[in-house]
Amino acid sequence: MNILAGYIMPHPPLAVEAVGKGSERGIPETMSAYHEIGRRISEMKPETIVVISPHAPTYADYFHISPGKAAAGDFGVFGEPGVKVTVNYDNELSTAISGIADREGISAGLLGETPENSALDHGVMVPLWFVNKYTDYAVVRVSTSGLPPEEHYKLGMCIKSAIGKLGRKTVIVASGDLSHKLKERGNKGEECRAFDAKITGIMRDARFEELLMMGEDERYGAADCGSGAFMILAGILSGMLIKPEFLSYEGTFGVGYAQCAYHILSETGGDDYLALYKERMREAMAAAKDSESGLPRLARNVVEAYVQTKRLPVKTALDQEYRQTRAGVFVTIKKHGTLRGCIGTLEPTTASIADEVRQNAVSACSRDFRFDPVEPGELPFLTYGVDVLSEPEPVDYTRLQEKLDPKTYGVIVTHGSKRGVLLPDLEGIDTVSQQLEIALKKAGISGELYNIERFKVTRHT
């Protein structure tokens, strides 16, 4: 077998004894697992270790694979510039991965490295610090990206294909920490601990289809940095018969550190996690569709008709139900829990709420400048939300804390022709100052007097 094993490993710099200066004793199970993994890799004697790091050069729409013959890094940013790691790159394998990804239509390659970001990052250095005690090898450094989970998985399949093509004896290391907010007070800390319990459960049983199903909002809320790397690992392990071995989990310092080994029993006979994921998503989307209320169902009907035919559907009883009232409306489209388009009107611009939904649903799926237009193949995986706005009312500067509440009210800030809008009850926005800061930034208003209005929304899902 060419792929010898896969590992999930965290990357706290304090685990390196010269950096931690004794702090590493606070994570004894993590340290024991590091040394055990290093010993095992030494016995395997791989030719190459592929390290997937969220702290390598990272782009929203591109997976970076480090080019060249060698690289080095140090822990200077963590106070120890004399503690260094140097590796040789397996440029042949890196080039092969890039070529296969290009043929498969995956946005990945050897571009994007500059003198400023060419040094090894701690996501690579910390795991390799323990491997370096035992063996020699070449390295392929791969970044995560802002692309969807399915793209991460498919890149993993490209990596697997390249390894097989070259016959390279390879170990895979998916470097990543779990939640960074375990010590947050109240519900946030509880939610983050639940997130870590969920993702470590996925690791233990190799239920990687459930990892792919985790929404961006869920991962962002927990502030993890490892899930992208784990998704790429899942693609590499696709179709292989594996045996998971969970080694450790600790959250001593408020960040979740988990380590898990994946033993390769056979190159065939294992799960196709992408197929399982798609089937689970179809089931979830069918359930979501069945439970939709009237306005989201109307938005869905409009988007599906427009994307497939470039025409609007005929009006039905749904339109009749909402034809008596006028209001501003926002239509939000998500794919796998990640925003796919959102367009709205603050005040009514058509004859009814139903017409407002029709207009804004078309705009959300085809005219949101942040996204490409929705494609027909995406339609089964989309969910819809409709927010109906109350009439905006002015807010006095002297009564902001009394009159604004980011969970209850959205805000509109204006200065001349500049206008910024923020809906209420958004993840991660908990204070009035945060809400206003983001709205002002969206409007491009800085250091100027501005008007503030508030509004409520009735949210339909």
Side-chain angles (χ1 to χ4, degrees), residues 312-333:
L312 295 180
V314 297
K315 293 189 176 182
T316 67
L318 283 175
D319 295 88
Q320 293 299 316
E321 186 177 347
Y322 295 96
R323 68 185 177 87
Q324 300 294 335
T325 309
R326 302 176 72 233
V329 167
F330 273 74
V331 174
T332 301
I333 305 172

Side-chain angles (χ1 to χ4, degrees), residues 218-252:
E218 183 177 5
R219 292 182 277 114
Y220 178 81
D224 90 303
C225 70
S227 52
F230 308 157
M231 291 171 189
I232 295 174
L233 173 65
I236 297 172
L237 298 177
S238 172
M240 305 179 77
L241 190 61
I242 61 174
K243 179 183 177 182
E245 180 190 4
F246 194 79
L247 298 172
S248 68
Y249 173 80
E250 292 174 303
T252 308

Side-chain angles (χ1 to χ4, degrees), residues 117-136:
N117 64 24
S118 62
L120 294 178
D121 61 279
H122 70 281
V124 173
M125 291 191 294
V126 173
L128 293 187
W129 181 261
F130 297 92
V131 176
N132 277 348
K133 295 183 177 183
Y134 302 104
T135 190
D136 296 320

Side-chain angles (χ1 to χ4, degrees), residues 100-417:
I100 292 172
D102 184 61
R103 289 194 295 275
E104 294 296 323
I106 306 299
S107 181
L110 306 173
L111 303 176
E113 190 161 283
T114 67
E116 291 74 26
N117 64 24
S118 62
L120 294 178
D121 61 279
H122 70 281
V124 173
M125 291 191 294
V126 173
L128 293 187
W129 181 261
F130 297 92
V131 176
N132 277 348
K133 295 183 177 183
Y134 302 104
T135 190
D136 296 320
Y137 51 86
V139 166
V140 171
R141 180 172 74 154
V142 180
S143 76
T144 59
S145 78
L147 291 166
E150 189 172 330
E151 296 298 296
H152 284 72
Y153 186 90
K154 289 180 177 179
L155 176 63
M157 296 176 70
C158 294
I159 294 170
K160 175 185 177 181
S161 179
I163 291 168
K165 178 181 178 182
L166 298 182
R168 198 72 92 234
K169 300 300 182 185
T170 307
V171 164
I172 312 298
V173 173
S175 175
D177 300 333
L178 303 188
S179 175
H180 286 62
K181 297 183 176 181
L182 297 178
K183 291 191 174 181
E184 291 276 329
R185 295 181 178 178
N187 290 337
K188 174 56 70 174
E190 292 178 10
E191 290 171 2
C192 291
R193 288 187 287 274
F195 173 89
D196 277 14
K198 179 178 179 179
I199 202 166
T200 52
I202 290 170
M203 291 178 192
R204 289 175 188 273
D205 299 326
R207 302 192 310 270
F208 290 120
E209 69 278 7
E210 295 182 21
L211 175 66
L212 296 173
M213 289 185 69
M214 294 178 73
E216 182 181 26
D217 291 347
E218 183 177 5
R219 292 182 277 114
Y220 178 81
D224 90 303
C225 70
S227 52
F230 308 157
M231 291 171 189
I232 295 174
L233 173 65
I236 297 172
L237 298 177
S238 172
M240 305 179 77
L241 190 61
I242 61 174
K243 179 183 177 182
E245 180 190 4
F246 194 79
L247 298 172
S248 68
Y249 173 80
E250 292 174 303
T252 308
F253 303 111
V255 179
Y257 304 139
Q259 305 211 52
C260 194
Y262 297 93
H263 306 280
I264 313 300
L265 304 181
S266 170
E267 292 184 335
T268 59
D271 289 329
D272 181 341
Y273 303 109
L274 186 58
L276 291 172
Y277 156 74
K278 288 183 176 180
E279 181 59 31
R280 293 282 297 275
M281 287 304 299
R282 288 189 190 96
E283 293 172 358
M285 292 302 101
K289 187 174 181 179
D290 288 344
S291 66
E292 278 176 347
S293 59
L295 290 178
R297 191 179 305 122
L298 174 59
R300 177 186 293 278
N301 293 345
V302 169
V303 170
E304 290 181 350
Y306 184 80
V307 169
Q308 294 179 96
T309 69
K310 299 305 178 188
R311 297 179 180 177
L312 295 180
V314 297
K315 293 189 176 182
T316 67
L318 283 175
D319 295 88
Q320 293 299 316
E321 186 177 347
Y322 295 96
R323 68 185 177 87
Q324 300 294 335
T325 309
R326 302 176 72 233
V329 167
F330 273 74
V331 174
T332 301
I333 305 172
K334 290 189 175 183
K335 181 180 179 181
H336 308 326
T338 300
L339 185 65
R340 187 61 183 83
C342 181
I343 295 291
T345 44
L346 297 174
E347 298 173 349
T349 60
T350 63
S352 69
I353 288 176
D355 287 345
E356 209 79 21
V357 169
R358 282 175 164 264
Q359 168 187 275
N360 293 341
V362 169
S363 295
C365 76
S366 63
R367 298 169 192 152
D368 188 331
F369 70 90
R370 298 168 295 179
F371 306 97
D372 292 332
V374 169
E375 298 286 343
E378 297 178 88
L379 294 173
F381 305 105
L382 301 181
T383 56
Y384 300 82
V386 175
D387 290 330
V388 178
L389 279 61
S390 67
E391 186 174 346
E393 57 184 15
V395 176
D396 191 321
Y397 269 102
T398 63
R399 304 177 68 189
L400 291 183
Q401 296 300 322
E402 175 188 345
K403 291 295 185 179
L404 293 181
D405 176 352
K407 297 300 180 186
T408 304
Y409 295 101
V411 295
I412 305 167
V413 294
T414 55
H415 176 78
S417 62

